[in-house]
Each structure stands twice: as C-alpha cells, then as structure tokens.
Amino acid sequence: MEQQGGAEVLSQEDALNRQGPVWLRRFGGPTLSVLMLCLALWALYRLAGEVSYHQVGEYMHRLRRGRIGQAIVLTALGYAVMPLYDLFALDSIGRKLPRPRVALISFISYAFSNTLGMAMLVSGSIRYRFYIQAGLSTMEVAKVVLFCTISFWLGLLAITGTTLLLVPLPHTLPLASARVLLGALLCAIPALWLLGGALWRRPIRVWRWALRLPPIEVGLRQIFVGALDWGLAAAVLYALMPDAMVLHFGSFLAIFALAQIAGLISHVPGGLGVFEAVMLAGFGATGNHTLSAPILGALAAYRGVYYLLPLCAATVAVVIREARGLRRAALLSPWFNGILPPFFAGLTLVSGAVLLFSGATAVLPGRLELLSDLLPLPVLEVSHFLSSVIGMSLLILARGLQRRLDAAYWLTLVLLVAGAVAQLLKGIDYEEALLLILLAVALAPAHRLFYRRASLFEVTFSFGWLLACATVLGCTVWLVFFSYQHVEYSSDLWWQFSFYRGNAPRALRALVGATGVALLFALITLIRSARSRPTLPDEAELTRALPLIKHYHSAQAHLALMGDKSLLFDQEGKAFIMYGIEGRSWVAMGDPVGHDDRARQELVWTFRERCERGGGWPVFYQVAPADLDLYLEVGMSLLKIGEEARVKLDQFNLDGKSKKTLRGTVNKLSREGLRLEIVPTADVPALLPQLKTVSDAWLRDKRVREKGFSLGAFDERYLSRTPMAVVWQNDKPIAFANMFLCESMEEASVDLMRQLPDGPAGLMDYLFVELMVWAKAQGYRWFNLGMAPLSGLQSRRQAPLWNRFGALVFGRGERFYNFQGLHRYKDKFDPEWEPRYVAVPGGIALPMVLTNVASLISGGLTGVVRR
C-alpha cells in the first residue's frame, strides 16, 4: 500500500462544504451505534420475553467445569492463532520483529478490540503505539493494520459463504431460503481477491491510496488465518451450548458467522445485543423460554470466557509492561505519557459499567444465604445502593482521568477500594471486587501522570463520552427490567427491605441512586459560572505579560505586545498563551510563554477545554520541537509547516569566501555614510512620525497592506513598547526594524522591517549584518531571522501527504509567495535551521484550519487572496 504522488488544493468553498460530512462523521456514527444497540435490546427483549434472569443464571451456574475448561482451551488456541495476522503482515512488508513481541502486541490489540468493537480503530491505535516503539514507520504500521483488517474480513466472509453453500440452515432463520445465493456472494469476495492477486499486477487506485493486490499465496494465507480464527471462536461458543442443541457444527457455524457479521456491521461495541438477538432468531428460540434461557446463558458465558478473560489478561500485561516503563525515566516518552491516562480512563469506565450492571441483577441465592447469617440487613441494603452510586461516579471520573486531573486520580483510587468493599458486602461478588482492586493497584504508582489541579466540574464532556455514559445507564435500565420482568410493579416495592425478596427493590433504588448522581453532576456542570468571551488585552494585561515575555527564551513572545491577540494566563500568572479566533479555529501563536513547565503544561489543557466549550478547534501555530510533547499529551496531531533560521552569534563573522558579497555590501554602504542606531524604548515615540513616512512609502511601493497575528504592523502603541533599530543616511532615516530582545540574553530578533523604496541596494543586508554584530557584542547567543514557510518538507513517495503537498507548493508556488527566495535570502547568513510545526486536533478539516490561520495573518479572508 502506497500513497499517490499528487494532491489537490481545496478552495475555501470546498473546505466549508466538507464541514457537513465532518459533523456527520463525528455525531452520526456514535448515534447510529446507539440506535442499533437500542434496536437490538428491544429485539432481544421481545425474543426472550418469557425468560427470567434466574433461568439464565441457573444455566451458567450448572455449566460443567469440563465444558468451561474446554472453552478456555479453545479461547487460548484462538488467541494463539491471532499473531499469525501480524506475522504475515510484517512479512509482506519485509520487516522482522521478535515473535514474542509480535504475539504480545497482537494479543493486547485483539483482546481490547474484540471487547470494545471498532476493530480497525481500537486495534489499529494500539498497534500504532506499540509498533512505533518497535521501530516501524507510520506508513509501515498502516500497512500492517490494513493487512490484518483485510485478512480478518476475508476469513469471516470465506467461512460464512462456504458453510452457507455446504450446510443447510434451520427453516426458522429468515435467510434460510436465500442461503445459496448469499453464500455465493460472500464466497465471491475472497475468490475475487485471490483472482485479482494472480492476474492484476497494477495498483488499484482508491482515493489517495494505491492498493496492490497480494500474490495468490499471500491471499491464501490471509483467508486461512481468518477462517481458522473464526472457526475457533465459534467452537468456543459451541462448547458452551446446551445439550438440547443437537445442531450440526456446520449449521451452528453459519448462524454464528452471520450473527458476528451483523454485530460488526452495527458498530455496537462487541456486537452487544445484536449478536445475541441474531443467535436467538437463528436457533428458533423466539417465545420458547425452555430454549432461550440456556442459549442466553451460553452466550453470557461465552462473553465472559472469550471476551472478558482475555481483556483482563491483556490489562494485566499492559499494566506490567507500562509499570516497568514508569520505573525507568528514559521510557517516559510522550508515547507512554499519551497511552496510559486514556488506558486507565477506559478501564475505569468499564469498572463503572460492571458496578452498575451488578447492581441491576440479583445476588446468587447461595451467597445471599451466607450473607444473611453474617451481616445485618441495613449493611446489605446500603452496600447495594452505594455500589451503583460508585459505578456512576466512576463513569464521570473516567473523563477526569483522561484529562489527567489530580482530583480525579485520588477520587478514583478511593472509589475503587470502596466499590470493592461494597461488592463484597452486597453479595460476596469477589469477581467484581478483584477487578476493582487490580485496577487500583495498577493506578496507584501512576500518580505522576495525573498532574493537573483543575476542577473536575470544568472538564468538558465530548459528545461521544456523554453518549457512552448514557448508553451504559440505558443498558442498566434495560437490565433491571429484563432481570425482574416477572416481578409485578407496585409503589410498595420502593419500601420493601428483605434478604430474600428484596432483589428487585434494591435494584430499583440503586438505579435511582445512579441516575441521581448523573443528574446532580449534570446540574452542577450546567450552572457553573459562564466563561466570558475572549477580549483583546488592555494595558494592565500587557503589563502583566511583559516580565514573562522579557525572560522567555524565545523572542517570538514579544508578538503579544501587538495587542491583537487575546491572552490566557494560568491561575498563578506564571505563563500565558496568546491566541486569535477565526471561524471555528482558536489559533495560539507559538508555544505557551513562561518558565514554569507545569504552568505551561496546564495552559495547553486549559486552552483546549476552553476551545471545546466554545465549540472551536484548538490550534497551536509555529511551535518548536522542544515542546511537542505538550501537544502529543493532549491528543493533538503535528504537521511541519517550515523551518526557522537562527544564527549562532558567537560563530558569526564576515570572514571567508562565502561572505564576500555581504562583506562588500556592508563596507560599501558604510563608506556612503550609512550608520545603525539602536534607539531605546523610551525614545521611540518621538521618532515614529519620521518612521511612518518610510513605512507608508514601502507599503505603496509593494502594493501590500498591513498583516497581523504572526507579523507586526505599524501601530504606534505596539512600536512604542520595543527598542528600534534605525538606519540613517546623513540625518534621514531610510530603514528601520523594531527589536525583540530577551533579558535572558538567549535571543535577539526583529519583527517589522521597512525601508525607503529608493534606498541604496543591499540596505536590508546591511541592517541584518549590523544588528548581528551589535547583538554579538551585547552578549546575545542567537539572532532569530524568522521562519521560512514550507521549507524542509520532503516529497518522497513514502512521505505523508501533507509533507508532499507542502514540498510541491514550496517548489512551484513562487507565483503566490516567494517561498524559495525567502529561504535563500536567510540561508546566506549561515543560520541553523530548526523545524516548526502546527498542532491540530485529530479528525478535523485541515484545509479549513489552514484557511483560518492564513486569514488571521492576512487580516481577513480578502487578505488571503490579495496582497
């Protein structure tokens, strides 16, 4: 798989038109999944309407240990086959990794993706994290993920189509009459894949990708591994099915595969509800509770053996692996920092769901009898109620963990332990208690990752997260009604307290408690103080920012003095972010300014959350490599936008053949009477009327207008805040530049540069050379020449699309902007080039963001298309 070499530039209208699909992808997919889940639960309720929860539990309780052991062995065999996906994929791209490492990566990715669904997204993201650490490139990881996904589907389609063609289906299944046609269609896809690999050697173009079909032997391996994987998965459930099921394994396999296809297409996590509904319909269990209850019991046991056991094992494996990394500071890279908080957040979300589901179901009779002898009834009642309250609280706290909140970390630890105790007291549910304790033990040493002191009520909940919480709560409601559908409702249930007849009342009260926690948190969040809209800074704010600007290592921080960007300070005033808003883009200029790393780190999170509350996209423009981890930790993507030229002053001189032209220019202009004067800040206002004449003449000659945001403009208030470098010829100023000087002596630079159109040739060269000589004499370490946009981007075939597009514009875009000329001009001063990036959130319309940034710099959309 390889990218095409071309790229298409989107117009502003195209970019705007694409926001509809972006919105649809963001909200439509999760909403559709929830609707499919609701439909599946409704169908499951109708299909198993006569089944009681006790009947399902009784079947699971009576399952023979030998059959459970057989299912566990088959599950282990299935997960042992899964690494073949990755091994064959790595072989296809010519990469070799140690087999134990590949097996671990494969096991972890499939354990999570099988349970959570969205296999390509979940499994792909986990593979990306681990394979990047193993030395693979982004493109190689993409090839591995695509190879595994295609193998996964080819095997499923092949085994489903083959069984439909060879084995008759029960007449109760709606698709039984069309099984031959459906089987032929499903088999045709793998067959065409093999035939194409044998006959078609040219790449197939799919959008911007070129897909090359594999040779027939590779295609056969893909189909074989996928079919073997699905066959073993079906065998696990077959081993758990009731003895009354005399269905041939081939017929069972066909129904199983069709149910899995339905679950995968629905995008419901793990096919939950959809898989069960299709299985019940396929076995003709509608309305037959003597058959429905054992099938549902087998399906529940299958979920536990094939999904939950591997998930717990994968969780332990990840915790051990990452805990080792926590002991070694060298491994605390942004990748590790980025994966652990979301990982713990996901496990906390699952733990909250487990507590809620446990509170919605009845206590096992044997355990309840034991509790009645050990505990007073009030302890049981309170524990059951608190268990569900803690479960709902964990759903909310999971978002705080994802956002690295210190308060969420401590509350989660306390509630995990409290939840484990409550589970033991409410029904001796040691399984759930063990899960909570394991998570607490894994979370305890990771406190350093949760460093933010922000309030939990200030955290924004994304649409997907709210939908996930609502879905868990909705499933809990469904489980309560399903578990106690044979209990006649009356208002007296709310006030019944009993060991043996109190399961339904306890579940209702627990459900109300969980719902109350959700509503209370929503109410507090809604009535929190409204955020004021961003405003431009006044003199007091600029005065507050000035010490931070002067002591910051980058002279670029002086752009805040323009006053055209809003300032966001941290609570203690140790750092700030300057930003502007254009469209939906909230664009921060450069990295956070300040020396306190913790304050700068917190500001990035605060800025992102403020953008989310305002419905905007957070963007950090022209950020340096040293701070990239700040943006990776909050889940942003990075794009290189150019390189910044910095001259190391202790090595700067005009000696040598390469500096002959510069040396001659400076000597010539010095003989003509030119001289450089550094005007102190206090004396600049009196000089501005003369300098305005120079600026106006330059604007007229270039036929341009003032820019902004990342560039200075001739604004008297702005220019009065910085020293001025002025080039005089006799008593007349002919060029000037306002200066950015760091008091740390780390860097000097200039911003607004203007000269008379009829000034002597080489005037700007003279200005730069004299400034560098002056800055070197003053003891500054670096002189910053500014950024050359799109320089340093590669157009190699394997380079990302953005890099190749930027390289194309850099090479051929001279008609619109002097990209190459600007780079060549700065290069003659022998600078060190350092890359600069733009940090953007994932999944947004990049063309629209870049249009908004260009509009900010150019002073409006009209400035983008004209000078």
Side-chain angles (χ1 to χ4, degrees), residues 180-255:
V180 176
L181 176 60
L182 180 59
L185 289 174
L186 293 179
C187 284
I189 297 174
L192 288 173
W193 181 261
L194 295 176
L195 187 64
L199 302 179
W200 194 270
R201 306 311 306 162
R202 290 182 297 174
I204 299 174
R205 303 294 182 183
V206 181
W207 187 39
R208 61 187 175 95
W209 301 100
L211 181 65
R212 191 181 299 276
L213 297 179
I216 189 169
E217 61 273 13
V218 176
L220 285 172
R221 286 196 298 183
Q222 288 182 285
I223 295 172
F224 170 76
V225 174
L228 181 59
D229 175 23
W230 285 109
L232 288 170
V236 175
L237 179 56
Y238 191 72
L240 298 170
M241 294 297 285
D243 294 330
M245 296 293 301
V246 293
L247 203 62
H248 187 273
F249 180 73
S251 301
F252 172 85
L253 180 58
I255 298 173

Side-chain angles (χ1 to χ4, degrees), residues 222-556:
Q222 288 182 285
I223 295 172
F224 170 76
V225 174
L228 181 59
D229 175 23
W230 285 109
L232 288 170
V236 175
L237 179 56
Y238 191 72
L240 298 170
M241 294 297 285
D243 294 330
M245 296 293 301
V246 293
L247 203 62
H248 187 273
F249 180 73
S251 301
F252 172 85
L253 180 58
I255 298 173
F256 173 87
L258 289 172
Q260 287 286 4
I261 291 175
L264 291 169
I265 293 175
S266 71
H267 286 288
V268 175
L272 184 65
V274 179
F275 175 70
E276 285 78 2
V278 176
M279 290 293 288
L280 284 176
F283 290 119
T286 307
N288 185 355
H289 68 90
T290 59
L291 190 58
S292 297
I295 292 176
L296 286 175
L299 290 170
Y302 174 72
R303 291 278 183 186
V305 172
Y306 193 78
Y307 292 100
L308 293 182
L309 278 182
L311 178 64
C312 292
T315 300
V316 173
V318 172
V319 168
I320 293 174
R321 189 179 190 277
E322 303 303 337
R324 291 174 180 172
L326 285 172
R327 296 192 196 103
R328 290 176 288 178
L331 287 181
L332 278 177
S333 66
W335 299 113
F336 282 86
N337 286 340
I339 191 175
L340 282 178
F343 173 76
F344 284 125
L347 290 181
T348 302
L349 190 70
V350 171
S351 300
V354 167
L355 290 180
L356 287 173
F357 296 160
S358 177
T361 53
V363 180
L364 293 176
R367 299 180 183 182
L368 189 61
E369 184 177 352
L370 180 61
L371 280 174
S372 65
D373 297 333
L374 297 176
L375 296 175
L377 179 61
V379 174
L380 173 68
E381 296 286 351
V382 172
S383 299
H384 195 115
F385 182 82
L386 288 179
S387 178
S388 293
V389 169
I390 291 172
M392 192 67 231
S393 301
L394 288 177
L395 295 185
I396 297 170
L397 287 172
R399 180 63 166 177
L401 289 180
Q402 188 192 40
R403 292 305 173 92
R404 300 169 179 264
L405 297 187
D406 177 73
Y409 167 84
W410 289 112
L411 282 174
T412 300
L413 273 181
V414 171
L415 291 184
L416 286 173
V417 176
V421 174
Q423 286 296 104
L424 293 174
L425 294 178
K426 89 174 203 32
I428 318 181
D429 295 328
Y430 59 87
E431 302 91 344
E432 292 92 333
L434 182 60
L435 173 66
L436 299 178
I437 291 298
L438 284 176
L439 179 55
V441 170
L443 186 62
H447 181 219
R448 71 183 74 178
L449 298 176
F450 304 92
Y451 49 79
R452 301 185 58 210
R453 306 289 181 177
S455 169
L456 182 63
F457 299 108
E458 296 297 316
V459 173
T460 55
F461 282 74
S462 66
F463 177 76
W465 200 278
L466 291 174
L467 206 57
C469 293
T471 301
V472 171
L473 188 58
C475 289
T476 305
V477 174
W478 179 90
L479 192 56
V480 168
F481 282 97
F482 178 79
S483 301
Y484 305 104
Q485 56 184 310
H486 300 290
V487 177
E488 185 178 353
Y489 175 80
S490 69
S491 58
D492 294 336
L493 282 176
W494 298 97
W495 311 107
Q496 288 183 10
F497 301 92
S498 168
F499 268 108
Y500 297 103
R501 294 187 177 182
N503 282 323
R506 280 192 288 272
L508 287 173
R509 289 190 290 267
L511 180 61
V512 169
T515 306
V517 171
L519 292 177
L520 179 63
F521 185 83
L523 180 62
I524 294 175
T525 304
L526 287 174
I527 63 176
R528 65 187 177 191
S529 57
R531 293 283 181 177
S532 57
R533 289 189 58 82
T535 57
L536 296 181
D538 54 19
E539 287 297 327
E541 282 189 294
L542 292 176
T543 302
R544 182 186 181 190
L546 191 58
L548 297 174
I549 295 170
K550 291 295 185 183
H551 289 91
Y552 192 54
H553 62 81
S554 173
Q556 178 182 261

